Amino acid sequence: MDENLSGKTLRRVSCVAAIASNLGIGNNGKLPWPSLRTDLEFLQRITTEVRDKGKWNAVLLGRKTWESLDPTQQPLPGRLNVVISKTLKCPPCGAHHVCDSVSSAVQMLSNSPFNDTVEEIFVLGGTEVYREAIESTYCYRIYLTEIHKEFESDTFFPTFNKNTYRLVSSPREVPQGDIEENQIQYRFCVYEKQG
């Protein structure tokens, strides 16, 4: 929990992303690589599992990330879907809420009734949404699926300070070691904010 300028306590957030070795995360509104089943299963599990069965998790997605979802996956099932957009005034069809920044979404989710019903907050992209979260005081963890290959991309994960966010030994819920699917090798890494 962190305090914002008004003295209220803000919730912590985690970023979750899969990145190519050139930091690519998207190309023409789609993932640049073939489907990686273990990565998709991990994303779904980590963003839906809760310890308190009376709660659910929130996911924050930029407008373009939201639009890139398969319409059958809007909203992402079992999660409170918050779209981040500077232009939308109403949530797009299927989304639960719209906010103009990650900060305003975190402030909303830090107040009633959300602080009683939302267990964790996950940021799912795109670039500027990740950047705002990573540079904030309330982001404390980054889950990265690091793909050991470059892919043609037009959207990239922001670079972040590896002294601020340090690689930690992966918690139990994170798959260990190198994984290979569709002739692509990758591994799951967890970075936590130090200090």
Side-chain angles (χ1 to χ4, degrees), residues 65-186:
T65 301
W66 170 264
E67 290 172 352
S68 74
L69 295 176
D70 181 321
T72 64
Q73 291 295 301
Q74 294 176 336
L76 290 173
R79 290 152 278 191
L80 180 74
N81 287 233
V82 181
V83 174
I84 308 300
S85 172
K86 297 207 181 307
T87 57
L88 295 176
K89 300 302 175 211
C90 297
C93 184
H96 300 107
H97 298 278
V98 66
C99 292
D100 64 2
S101 66
V102 174
S103 177
S104 63
V106 172
Q107 287 182 42
M108 176 186 80
L109 295 168
S110 298
N111 292 311
S112 289
F114 302 105
N115 60 347
D116 298 324
T117 59
V118 171
E119 190 163 285
E120 291 195 58
I121 304 169
F122 294 97
V123 176
L124 304 185
T127 304
E128 294 309 315
V129 174
Y130 283 132
R131 181 175 286 115
E132 182 188 351
I134 289 168
E135 293 175 356
S136 75
T137 59
Y138 42 80
C139 182
Y140 81 104
R141 188 176 278 175
I142 303 170
Y143 294 93
L144 283 185
T145 303
E146 295 184 349
I147 297 169
H148 307 315
K149 188 174 179 179
E150 285 194 14
F151 286 89
E152 184 178 342
S153 303
D154 57 19
T155 311
F156 299 88
F157 194 80
T159 57
F160 61 95
N161 187 328
K162 300 267 175 91
N163 290 320
T164 303
Y165 291 94
R166 292 228 178 111
L167 186 63
V168 296
S169 58
S170 297
R172 262 181 307 134
E173 72 270 12
V174 177
Q176 305 295 308
D178 282 341
I179 296 167
E180 183 167 337
E181 286 180 70
N182 292 327
Q183 300 176 334
I184 298 169
Q185 289 191 338
Y186 61 98

Side-chain angles (χ1 to χ4, degrees), residues 32-49:
W33 46 80
S35 180
L36 301 173
R37 183 181 48 80
T38 303
D39 176 56
L40 294 174
E41 287 172 353
F42 172 73
L43 171 68
Q44 178 173 353
R45 183 169 51 79
I46 198 161
T47 60
T48 56
E49 281 187 354

